[in-house]
Amino acid sequence: MENFDRKKHWETIYQTKALNEVSWYEPTPETSLDFIKQFELPKTAKIIDIGGGDSFLVDHLLDKGYKDISVLDISEAAIERAKKRLGTRAKNVTWIVADAAKFQPTKQYDFWHDRAAFHFLTDEQDISNYIKTAQQHIEPRGVLVIGTFSEQGPTKCSGIEIKQYSENSMTERLKSVFEKIKCITLDHKTPFDTIQNFIFCSFKKIAVV
């Protein structure tokens, strides 16, 4: 896996599979929307969806009137698909083509959302880079929400290894810079009628004294 080209892999996925031919397809991202509702984010909140690809979260956020939305994905093809789907509304979104492990934000965010991108980072340096970037670019009162496959979930996705997490292991991994707010587990039903068990956790930044 040392020579694995992560970007090439995902470009191929999005160039060859239809929207509903990928396991993460979710027309209404209810869990993600529930977290946003829970934290009562104002419409001016700076929101970023990490690994958002062509997911429908951005559609729902626009429908709800959010004004400052960014979507990041390693795949340009995924971003272009989302733009095409949104049509003229795409201009109201900041689109970022970047590897989440190497992302260098130019602004601070109030809400950092990641559904199933973080668990693809299996290299310790990539994981550390990601956490450091999130810590540095989330507002002091901002929120981090991460969803990954649980320890009862798959060990691979789209043909590549992932890193499973539990409430304890995710909390432990982030504890130096983030404090857990709450975690939930849920089953995601794929378009292929299989079940994937997820863990979703929300965190707040630990204040620097």
Side-chain angles (χ1 to χ4, degrees):
M1 292 293 285
E2 288 182 7
N3 297 319
F4 177 66
D5 188 330
R6 191 153 54 205
K7 180 172 175 61
K8 184 179 180 181
H9 177 85
W10 289 110
E11 293 292 9
T12 300
I13 292 286
Y14 282 104
Q15 288 166 359
T16 58
K17 291 184 180 291
L19 186 63
N20 62 351
E21 291 179 337
V22 293
S23 63
W24 55 90
Y25 175 64
E26 188 181 40
T28 304
E30 292 179 1
T31 303
S32 303
L33 292 170
D34 284 347
F35 273 108
I36 289 168
K37 184 178 180 181
Q38 173 197 338
F39 293 110
E40 300 179 336
L41 294 182
K43 301 307 182 189
T44 54
K46 298 182 290 292
I47 300 172
I48 186 164
D49 187 16
I50 300 292
D54 61 351
S55 86
F56 284 87
L57 180 60
V58 64
D59 306 58
H60 289 272
L61 292 174
L62 288 169
D63 290 345
K64 291 178 181 298
Y66 285 96
K67 309 292 186 187
D68 194 336
I69 309 165
S70 299
V71 177
L72 176 146
D73 203 274
I74 195 171
S75 168
E76 188 168 0
I79 294 288
E80 289 304 315
R81 276 170 38 161
K83 285 182 178 180
K84 186 175 181 180
R85 185 183 72 237
L86 287 168
T88 57
R89 296 207 297 170
K91 69 180 184 300
N92 299 321
V93 179
T94 299
W95 303 97
I96 304 165
V97 178
D99 185 329
K102 299 177 175 64
F103 177 38
Q104 296 181 318
T106 57
K107 64 194 285 186
Q108 302 290 105
Y109 298 98
D110 299 300
F111 190 83
W112 180 294
H113 172 270
D114 178 333
R115 174 181 178 260
F118 184 65
H119 67 198
F120 282 108
L121 303 181
T122 56
D123 176 78
E124 180 58 32
Q125 189 60 56
D126 283 346
I127 296 169
S128 295
N129 288 348
Y130 180 107
I131 294 171
K132 182 178 180 181
T133 300
Q135 190 271 336
Q136 291 177 341
H137 294 279
I138 293 176
E139 294 282 5
R141 294 181 180 274
V143 174
L144 167 67
V145 171
I146 294 183
T148 72
F149 287 158
S150 76
E151 292 179 344
Q152 286 71 51
T155 57
K156 285 187 173 184
C157 182
S158 298
I160 55 178
E161 300 283 341
I162 61 91
K163 186 175 179 63
Q164 296 173 320
Y165 286 90
S166 65
E167 178 172 347
N168 286 340
S169 65
M170 190 182 294
T171 303
E172 183 70 20
R173 189 64 187 80
L174 275 68
K175 72 176 185 181
S176 63
V177 287
F178 289 100
E179 180 182 344
K180 181 185 73 180
I181 301 171
K182 80 168 188 176
C183 293
I184 60 171
T185 57
L186 62 112
D187 286 329
H188 165 64
K189 187 176 181 181
T190 73
F192 325 115
D193 286 331
T194 57
I195 298 296
Q196 297 175 335
N197 192 249
F198 273 80
I199 176 92
F200 268 83
C201 292
S202 56
F203 298 89
K204 62 182 178 180
K205 282 176 68 168
I206 294 174
V208 178
V209 179

